[in-house]
Amino acid sequence: MTVAQQPEALSFECETGNYHTFCPISCVAWLYQKIEDSFFLVIGTKTCGYFLQNAMGVMIFAEPRYAMAELEEGDISAQLSDYEELKRLCLQIKRDRNPSVIVWIGTCTTEIIKTDLEGLAPKLESEIGIPIVVARANGLDYAFTQGEDTVLAAMANRCPDKAPVAETEKSERNAIAKLLNFGKKKEDVAQDESEYVDHPPLVLFGSLPDPVVTQLTLELKKQGIKVSGWLPAKRFTELPVLEEGYYVAGVNPFLSRTATTLMRRRKCKLIGAPFPIGPDGTRAWIEKICSVFGITPKGLDEREAQIWAGLEDYVKLIRGKSVFFMGDNLLEVSQARFLIRCGMTVHEIGIPYMDKRYQAAELALLEKTCQEMNSPLPRIVEKPDNYNQLQRIYELKPDLVITGMAHANPLEARGINTKWSVEFTFAQIHGFTNARDMLELVTRPLRRNNNLKDLGWDKLVREEAKI
């Protein structure tokens, strides 16, 4: 009689590398589009301005609602009045744009010279009559996606703590209800409301494009779960109500600071679920929310099977292949778990920062997925040293490396397929229906190489490499 061998546990390592990611002030790029009545004022140096111009150069034809408050030598040496200068800029913003909220984005410089943004904001807010939210989304953080985390944590403190009494206020605030009920008769709306199960209020947090917000809201509606609001909302004036005891659930792995703020400051109850990335993650996310509310999920087996069937043309391209994550946007664990479910082997998950409490459910699902797929558990390396990683990549020879933009071209020059991790940040990858978009990105370099082989270009490249 043989004793069954216990499955090995996930191993965590920590190296001493730098954080090779964008600066978190880049969160302005997607947040100003999400919060339609906002204006973002980045308080930093010319370097911050150059970075934003480059990072957001793709939006040159749009009219972005952000600006730079550039700190000069006089500001840094405390010879000028920060208050008067910020007041001048905010009055100009009010005159030109009249937003519902101005978000001050602190930078490394404001941290180093200890600018008291939190002290200046309330005084100026009362003077100009526009809410000012202070978010220190600076480069001292671990990853660029944590800029959103900082902004949402600051906004969580501005959410109302009492539900509006008047019906007019209630209808104005619940933008999601208006969106879902658009074009419906009153009788149909009443019928829809009766489909919901009686459960405590649920607020979801994480900035997602409106179509994805609608998809996830409808997926929960199918289980009888009503979403009371999203943080952030499309408009600052429609921020969700957060009373003590409300339930909250996150949709992104990099929102640990927001989760902590919601639990400690707003006394909400966090639902620790895997994240809705990939059909497997979306199903686990819905199941966890259902279990908390005592609801038996229905139709998820068929729903997930249907999505996987539609992905087969992409999955067959990567099944049996290997992938290496260098670490960039904090989505790595969720992406790795999904790709392992697709049949890939993940050699290593590099990640700039790991909050094991907030990602506990995702890590458990990763371990379970590896066991079910009979795949080796990947090593998880926090704060990876890129030199050491490159040595491991040369040794392991993965079929694909998902990396930050800085390392993509050097790796491609050495014949290693790469994909920019930043593309997954801006793409729609959440929910059942968007899994296809994620696989479209993952398989693009592999499909490109297959096409080059068909054309005979790979032989030409090898000949040039010899020369």
Side-chain angles (χ1 to χ4, degrees):
M1 179 180 173
T2 57
V3 179
Q5 194 174 7
Q6 291 295 320
E8 55 180 319
L10 285 169
S11 68
F12 295 88
E13 298 173 31
C14 186
E15 295 185 336
T16 54
N18 295 321
Y19 302 119
H20 296 268
T21 78
F22 278 148
C23 175
I25 65 172
S26 58
C27 70
V28 172
W30 61 90
L31 286 176
Y32 90 79
Q33 295 180 81
K34 176 65 184 177
I35 310 167
E36 295 177 354
D37 58 347
S38 62
F39 193 96
F40 287 78
L41 183 64
V42 182
I43 305 168
T45 60
K46 281 186 169 62
T47 306
C48 307
Y50 294 145
F51 169 69
L52 285 178
Q53 280 181 316
N54 284 291
M56 295 196 259
V58 291
M59 300 171 194
I60 194 166
F61 298 111
E63 190 179 8
R65 294 184 312 282
Y66 70 91
M68 275 295 307
E70 288 187 353
L71 299 171
E72 303 287 351
E73 288 85 349
D75 301 300
I76 294 169
S77 59
Q79 292 172 4
L80 300 178
S81 170
D82 295 332
Y83 182 80
E84 290 303 322
E85 181 62 14
L86 289 170
K87 178 181 174 182
R88 182 185 68 79
L89 286 168
C90 289
L91 284 172
Q92 184 181 341
I93 292 165
K94 181 180 181 181
R95 184 177 66 249
D96 296 347
R97 302 298 185 98
N98 196 29
S100 296
V101 62
I102 297 174
V103 183
W104 285 358
I105 302 291
T107 61
C108 302
T109 311
T110 58
E111 290 293 291
I112 292 163
I113 66 174
K114 301 290 185 255
T115 307
D116 185 18
L117 298 178
E118 286 85 359
L120 296 171
K123 184 181 174 186
L124 187 52
E125 180 177 321
S126 63
E127 198 167 336
I128 68 171
I130 293 179
I132 297 175
V133 173
V134 177
R136 296 183 175 273
N138 57 72
L140 304 175
D141 268 335
Y142 311 102
F144 71 98
T145 47
Q146 289 180 295
E148 176 187 327
D149 191 20
T150 309
V151 173
L152 296 194
M155 284 198 169
N157 291 318
R158 295 301 190 103
C159 291
D161 56 5
K162 292 285 181 214
V165 179
E167 285 298 319
T168 52
E169 289 182 58
K170 199 181 290 182
S171 61
E172 280 174 12
R173 181 164 294 283
N174 200 341
I176 296 173
K178 285 195 287 186
L179 193 64
L180 295 179
N181 297 331
F182 180 75
K184 290 184 180 178
K185 296 177 183 176
K186 284 186 178 179
E187 305 82 50
D188 296 334
V189 172
Q191 175 64 33
D192 285 350
E193 289 293 321
S194 66
E195 295 175 13
Y196 293 118
V197 177
D198 185 29
H199 63 82
L202 170 68
V203 173
L204 303 177
F205 60 94
S207 175
L208 296 177
D210 291 341
V212 185
V213 167
T214 306
Q215 287 168 21
L216 292 178
T217 304
L218 288 172
E219 292 292 348
L220 289 173
K221 183 183 176 183
K222 289 176 185 174
Q223 307 300 330
I225 296 171
K226 184 174 186 176
V227 178
S228 300
W230 280 78
L231 176 69
K234 279 187 72 173
R235 301 182 68 80
F236 181 76
T237 52
E238 295 168 351
L239 283 175
V241 175
L242 288 175
E243 292 186 33
E244 185 174 337
Y246 273 31
Y247 282 84
V248 292
V251 295
N252 274 320
F254 48 77
L255 299 175
S256 57
R257 189 178 292 145
T258 306
T260 303
T261 302
L262 290 168
M263 287 190 292
R264 291 182 182 170
R265 294 280 180 89
R266 304 310 304 262
K267 310 299 183 195
C268 296
K269 297 176 181 177
L270 178 69
I271 298 175
F275 301 101
I277 294 173
D280 51 335
T282 306
R283 173 183 176 160
W285 182 74
I286 294 170
E287 284 179 337
K288 182 59 190 265
I289 294 173
C290 286
S291 70
V292 168
F293 293 144
I295 297 169
T296 304
K298 52 183 184 290
L300 285 181
D301 287 340
E302 298 81 3
R303 183 86 171 106
E304 188 184 2
Q306 177 191 13
I307 297 298
W308 280 116
L311 297 176
E312 183 56 32
D313 55 335
Y314 281 119
V315 171
K316 68 184 180 186
L317 291 171
I318 57 175
R319 191 180 286 124
K321 289 187 163 51
S322 60
V323 61
F324 189 108
F325 288 85
M326 288 193 75
D328 185 37
N329 58 8
L330 302 191
L331 293 170
E332 287 83 11
V333 175
S334 301
Q335 289 176 301
R337 179 257 306 149
F338 170 51
L339 293 179
I340 290 169
R341 180 63 69 181
C342 291
M344 293 192 84
T345 299
V346 176
H347 292 304
E348 177 173 314
I349 302 174
I351 188 165
Y353 166 72
M354 166 71 72
D355 187 319
K356 293 179 187 173
R357 292 174 303 171
Y358 181 57
Q359 293 213 44
E362 184 64 80
L363 290 168
L365 184 59
L366 170 66
E367 206 165 340
K368 180 184 173 189
T369 301
C370 289
Q371 291 167 12
E372 291 177 356
M373 298 300 293
N374 199 24
S375 175
L377 287 168
R379 64 191 297 194
I380 298 176
V381 182
E382 284 186 77
K383 201 176 166 186
D385 183 305
N386 283 163
Y387 178 83
N388 293 340
Q389 277 192 320
L390 289 172
Q391 307 313 308
R392 295 195 288 268
I393 288 170
Y394 295 150
E395 184 183 332
L396 293 165
K397 296 182 173 56
D399 296 296
L400 179 68
V401 175
I402 296 178
T403 175
M405 294 170 73
H407 304 103
N409 284 350
L411 286 169
E412 288 281 352
R414 287 159 177 77
I416 297 166
N417 294 322
T418 64
K419 194 65 194 159
W420 291 349
S421 49
V422 71
E423 292 188 66
F424 298 98
T425 311
F426 289 94
Q428 297 183 13
I429 62 171
H430 295 74
F432 283 123
T433 54
N434 293 314
R436 190 172 183 83
D437 289 6
M438 183 166 164
L439 286 181
E440 163 71 27
L441 290 174
V442 170
T443 59
R444 192 173 291 165
L446 303 176
R447 286 182 284 119
R448 178 196 64 208
N449 284 359
N450 289 342
N451 292 337
L452 289 174
K453 282 178 184 175
D454 292 343
L455 294 170
W457 278 81
D458 59 322
K459 295 176 184 174
L460 181 62
V461 170
R462 283 199 298 271
E463 290 300 320
E464 286 187 354
K466 289 176 186 175
I467 296 169

